[in-house]
């Protein structure tokens, strides 16, 4: 057996695993990612990318490439319900489409107020190759067709045995940490014996049929992304994949009646599709057939010493709202900078405990909202929705951990409306600035190091940050904002948006969340900032 050391071993090459690799690489952390399948995804899943996740892809320099890949679905809007595709009334369709256009316009305007990025529709089969190429260009170490056999951990690290599934060759890998991105049936989570909570399957069992067919005589391009089929024989939903000739059809099955995924042969799936379309003479090519269930499940802990659960290994939520893969990507983002800080000996390992504290809360909030959203659709009753706001669930949750310095007189955080006002624990507010003759967002200045935003007169803050960076070995980027600052306000007032005076300062973590804020002048910036940074990184309270 070959023995190799790597700082982080990532198990699972889906969206959570690949983004974990990219975020670690951005923080100069070497890794090995293994994936038991032979390549990237072959079935279209997880098509919705929230604007918050697009902000993270923007940090990685991938926003433009993903936006290009999503172009075929840019104008897809909303959903309708019909008996069959053939029965669609063109006049009613146009009326519904115009109504959806108005709703979409309002939705985009709401996004633009809080983010430099817009949501996108890009299925996993398109997105994973983009992420993989970026990882390869960054000299990432990724092995497909490679599986984890076993692992054990001790006080100094993790020893894993992996196997090449093609050659049968085994290898021992020694890593400082292990990231479990191995999906909903995570063998790593099972090995840790971490239990899960949640209601399990709550929306039924489904067969997802990915197929090709020419439906242009019934549907024109750029219409509805979700078409509910009410025909009781094949009750389900038709979903656009490429806005041309590739589709997914979701149809339910009932295990309690003895039905199973094995009952859905290609021949039966073709008949289901024909009935849903409403024709008997349709050329259909079945690409793949995938069973799935709308389920709710969350691990009680996201950390087991040196092992961390991310993505579906940590939490499984219904597809309503499209939060699942986005939550996993944001797990990877939260964990990466903390692993980097510890591996580079810039922080105490206790910092890693805040990963569970922060992301478990975010997952619980998101799962509850997604579940309630699903029930509101199933029961056709919006009263089943809780009081949380969609935008607040997407980006407005607030972290409470020892990596956040609470303010005095901290008041309860609201989730019934979006509040991004520089409050510690929340994502730093977006505003447009002019920096080095370029129009950028405040978020474009964040992502690699700690960032300190100050008013124009920031010589004391700048000196303090430089000395503390030298002392702790932790870079702190300082930007003054104002008419004469490093960054010139374009539209909004940074003082109003971040709720500070011109003498205040806001410290932002590498993941874009506000770590600490002072609204007024402080008498000794060096002493205060040193205390704040030491508390966050070395968990000295």
């Amino acid at each position: 057996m070959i023995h190799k050391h790597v700082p982080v071993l990532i198990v699972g090459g889906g969206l959570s695993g690949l983004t974990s690799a990219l975020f670690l690489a951005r923080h100069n952390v070497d890794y090995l990612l293994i994936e038991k399948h032979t390549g990237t995804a072959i079935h279209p899943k997880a098509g919705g990318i929230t604007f918050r996740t697009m902000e993270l892809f923007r940090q990685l320099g991938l926003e433009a490439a993903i936006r290009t890949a999503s172009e075929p679905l840019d104008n897809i809007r909303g959903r309708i319900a019909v008996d069959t595709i053939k029965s669609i009334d063109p006049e009613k369709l146009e009326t519904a489409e115009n109504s959806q256009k108005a709703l979409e316009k309002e939705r985009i305007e709401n996004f633009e107020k809080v983010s430099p990025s817009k949501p996108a529709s890009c299925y996993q089969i398109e997105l994973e190759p983009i992420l993989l190429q970026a990882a390869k260009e960054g000299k990432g170490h990724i092995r497909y067709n490679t599986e984890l056999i076993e692992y054990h951990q001790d006080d100094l690290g993790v020893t894993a045995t992996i196997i090449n599934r093609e050659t049968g060759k085994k290898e021992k890998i020694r890593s400082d940490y292990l990231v479990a991105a191995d999906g909903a049936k995570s063998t790593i989570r099972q090995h840790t014996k971490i239990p899960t909570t949640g209601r399990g399957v709550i929306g039924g069992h489904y067969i997802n049929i990915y197929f090709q067919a020419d439906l242009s005589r019934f549907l024109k391009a750029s219409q509805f992304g979700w078409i509910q089929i009410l025909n009781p024989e094949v009750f389900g939903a038709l979903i656009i994949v490429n806005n041309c000739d590739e589709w997914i059809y979701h149809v339910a099955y009932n295990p309690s009646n003895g039905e199973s995924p094995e009952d859905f042969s290609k021949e039966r799936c073709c008949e289901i599709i024909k009935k849903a379309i409403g024709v008997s003479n349709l050329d259909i090519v079945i690409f793949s057939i995938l069973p799935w269930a709308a389920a709710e499940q969350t691990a009680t802990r996201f950390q087991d010493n040196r092992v961390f659960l991310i993505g579906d290994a940590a939490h499984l939520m219904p597809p309503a709202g499209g939060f699942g893969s986005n939550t996993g990507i944001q797990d990877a983002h939260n964990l990466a900078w903390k692993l980097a800080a510890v591996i580079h000996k810039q922080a105490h390992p206790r910092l890693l405990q805040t990963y569970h504290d922060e992301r478990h809360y975010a997952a619980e909030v998101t799962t509850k909202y997604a579940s309630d959203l699903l029930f509101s659709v199933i029961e056709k009753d919006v009263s089943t929705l809780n009081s949380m706001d969609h935008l607040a669930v997407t980006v407005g949750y607030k972290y409470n951990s020892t990596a956040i310095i609470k303010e005095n007189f901290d008041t309860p955080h609201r989730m019934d409306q979006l509040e991004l006002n520089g409050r510690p624990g929340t994502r730093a507010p977006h505003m447009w600035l002019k920096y080095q003759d370029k129009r950028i967002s405040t978020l474009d200045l964040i992502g690699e190091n700690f960032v300190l935003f100050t008013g124009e007169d920031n010589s004391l803050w700048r000196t303090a940050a430089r000395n503390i960076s030298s002392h702790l070995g932790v870079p702190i980027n300082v930007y003054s904002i104002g008419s004469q600052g490093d960054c010139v306000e374009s539209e909004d007032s940074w003082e109003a948006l971040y709720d500070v005076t011109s003498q205040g300062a806001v410290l932002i973590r590498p993941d874009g969340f506000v770590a600490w804020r002072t609204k007024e002048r402080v008498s000794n910036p060096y002493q205060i900032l040193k205390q704040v940074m030491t508390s966050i990184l070395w968990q000295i309270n």
Side-chain angles (χ1 to χ4, degrees):
M1 286 188 179
I2 299 172
H3 293 261
K4 177 181 178 180
H5 177 268
V6 66
V8 181
L9 174 63
I10 305 168
V11 179
L15 295 178
S16 298
L18 285 169
T19 50
S20 185
L22 289 168
F23 294 134
L24 285 169
R26 188 156 195 253
H27 292 291
N28 298 311
V29 174
D30 196 11
Y31 64 87
L32 170 63
L33 184 153
I34 62 171
E35 165 56 53
K36 67 180 181 180
H37 294 104
T38 57
T40 54
I42 61 172
H43 195 98
K45 297 186 295 181
I49 307 176
T50 66
F51 67 86
R52 174 55 185 159
T53 301
M54 287 299 285
E55 291 172 3
L56 307 188
F57 289 142
R58 182 185 181 96
Q59 290 181 8
L60 294 171
L62 298 177
E63 185 179 32
I66 295 170
R67 186 71 59 198
T68 298
S70 73
E71 282 178 358
L73 301 180
D74 274 354
N75 295 318
I76 299 302
R77 292 171 290 273
R79 60 180 66 200
I80 56 170
V82 296
D83 290 329
T84 64
I85 298 299
K86 185 180 177 182
S87 69
I88 291 176
D89 183 336
E91 290 186 8
K92 290 183 178 179
L93 186 64
E94 184 176 354
T95 300
E97 187 178 8
N98 290 335
S99 175
Q100 289 293 335
K101 284 181 181 178
L103 290 173
E104 181 70 8
K105 183 175 182 295
E106 181 181 355
R107 191 171 72 100
I108 293 299
E109 288 174 351
N110 287 335
F111 295 147
E112 289 175 341
K113 294 175 184 177
V114 297
S115 176
S117 301
K118 295 179 182 178
S121 296
C122 185
Y123 283 102
Q124 202 164 342
I125 54 174
E126 298 284 347
L127 182 55
E128 282 187 12
I130 294 173
L131 302 179
L132 176 60
Q133 182 60 35
K136 288 180 176 178
E137 290 173 358
K139 300 180 180 179
H141 302 99
I142 297 177
R143 299 188 200 174
Y144 285 94
N145 216 9
T146 303
E147 189 171 6
L148 175 71
I149 297 177
E150 62 180 6
Y151 78 90
H152 68 268
Q153 55 179 317
D154 53 47
D155 291 341
L156 300 177
V158 180
T159 302
T161 302
I162 64 176
I163 186 170
N164 183 304
R165 300 180 75 189
E166 181 179 5
T167 65
K169 182 179 179 180
K170 294 182 181 179
E171 185 178 352
K172 277 195 182 295
I173 302 292
R174 181 69 174 171
S175 64
D176 299 322
Y177 298 97
L178 188 154
V179 175
D182 55 339
K185 298 178 180 179
S186 171
T187 57
I188 296 174
R189 186 187 66 233
Q190 293 171 24
H191 183 269
T192 63
K193 294 183 171 55
I194 295 176
T196 61
T197 60
R199 291 175 284 184
V201 176
I202 59 174
H205 294 82
Y206 299 89
I207 296 294
N208 184 313
I209 309 167
Y210 175 31
F211 70 98
Q212 183 179 52
D214 181 4
L215 304 182
S216 58
R217 53 183 155 151
F218 310 112
L219 297 166
K220 66 180 183 179
S222 299
Q223 288 190 330
F224 293 89
W226 177 288
I227 303 176
Q228 189 77 53
I229 303 299
L230 303 177
N231 181 343
E233 288 188 73
V234 290
F235 184 84
L238 181 72
I239 301 171
I240 291 173
V241 172
N242 68 349
N243 204 14
C244 181
D245 61 350
E246 293 183 11
W247 315 83
I248 299 169
Y249 194 72
H250 289 293
V251 63
Y253 71 97
N254 192 342
S256 63
N257 291 339
E259 294 180 307
S260 73
E262 288 72 26
D263 298 330
F264 291 83
S265 63
K266 285 190 175 182
E267 292 74 20
R268 184 182 177 190
C269 287
C270 283
E271 290 305 310
I272 288 171
I273 293 167
K274 289 176 181 178
K275 286 183 179 180
I277 305 304
V279 296
S280 57
N281 57 338
L282 184 67
D283 291 330
I284 299 171
V285 177
I286 303 289
F287 293 134
S288 58
I289 301 167
L290 184 73
W292 67 281
E296 176 188 301
Q297 176 180 289
T298 305
T300 57
R301 291 182 288 115
F302 287 3
Q303 179 185 7
D304 178 44
N305 296 324
R306 290 176 174 267
V307 177
F308 299 88
L309 308 181
I310 68 172
D312 286 353
H315 45 72
L316 198 61
M317 59 190 69
F323 290 106
S325 62
N326 291 281
T327 306
I329 291 168
Q330 290 159 37
D331 292 341
H333 188 244
N334 180 287
L335 179 60
W337 76 268
K338 296 173 181 178
L339 282 172
V342 173
I343 289 168
H344 295 321
K345 301 190 184 309
Q346 298 170 334
H348 192 279
R350 283 191 297 263
L351 174 66
L352 297 174
Q353 296 173 10
T354 67
Y355 166 69
H356 165 82
D357 297 336
E358 295 177 355
R359 293 308 302 167
H360 189 270
Y361 162 74
E364 282 191 320
V365 167
T366 308
T367 300
K368 175 169 176 49
Y369 182 77
S371 297
D372 289 346
L373 193 60
L374 177 65
F375 281 124
S376 75
V377 173
I378 293 174
E379 299 173 9
K380 298 180 181 179
D381 181 6
V382 294
S383 66
T384 61
L385 280 174
N386 58 46
S387 61
M388 288 188 282
D389 175 76
H390 188 89
L391 284 178
V393 175
T394 301
V395 73
Y397 46 83
K398 177 177 176 287
Y399 290 153
N400 290 292
S401 77
T402 51
I404 301 293
I405 307 299
K406 293 182 180 180
E407 294 182 311
N408 294 330
F409 311 110
D410 202 23
T411 57
H413 183 68
R414 299 181 63 171
M415 286 295 291
D416 59 336
Q417 66 182 45
L418 181 63
E419 288 187 343
L420 293 176
N421 56 7
R423 186 179 186 182
T426 61
R427 197 269 268 143
H430 149 72
M431 63 180 289
W432 291 110
L433 303 168
K434 185 177 181 181
Y435 176 68
Q436 296 181 347
D437 295 324
K438 293 181 181 179
R439 184 175 186 261
I440 67 166
S441 166
T442 44
L443 303 189
D444 294 327
L445 300 170
I446 300 165
E448 192 167 348
N449 301 321
F450 277 84
V451 167
L452 188 69
F453 285 152
T454 72
E456 293 175 356
D457 183 13
N458 75 343
S459 58
L460 292 178
W461 283 117
R462 196 177 293 276
T463 300
R466 182 172 61 248
N467 292 337
I468 292 165
S469 293
S470 177
H471 177 71
L472 297 179
V474 179
I476 304 173
N477 299 341
V478 183
Y479 300 98
S480 59
I481 304 177
S483 59
Q484 302 299 317
D486 305 320
C487 305
V488 180
E489 301 151 323
S490 296
E491 300 163 2
D492 301 309
S493 160
W494 102 273
E495 295 171 20
L497 192 60
Y498 279 75
D499 193 18
V500 294
T501 67
S502 61
Q503 303 299 314
V506 180
L507 181 69
I508 302 166
R509 309 188 317 188
D511 62 351
F513 279 73
V514 177
W516 166 80
R517 173 178 65 179
T518 177
K519 298 185 180 184
E520 307 286 346
R521 177 197 295 271
V522 296
S523 58
N524 191 331
Y526 174 80
Q527 182 179 354
I528 295 295
L529 189 58
K530 180 183 178 182
Q531 181 181 347
V532 165
M533 290 294 295
T534 302
S535 177
I536 292 169
L537 295 174
W538 294 94
Q539 301 293 287
I540 299 172
N541 295 300

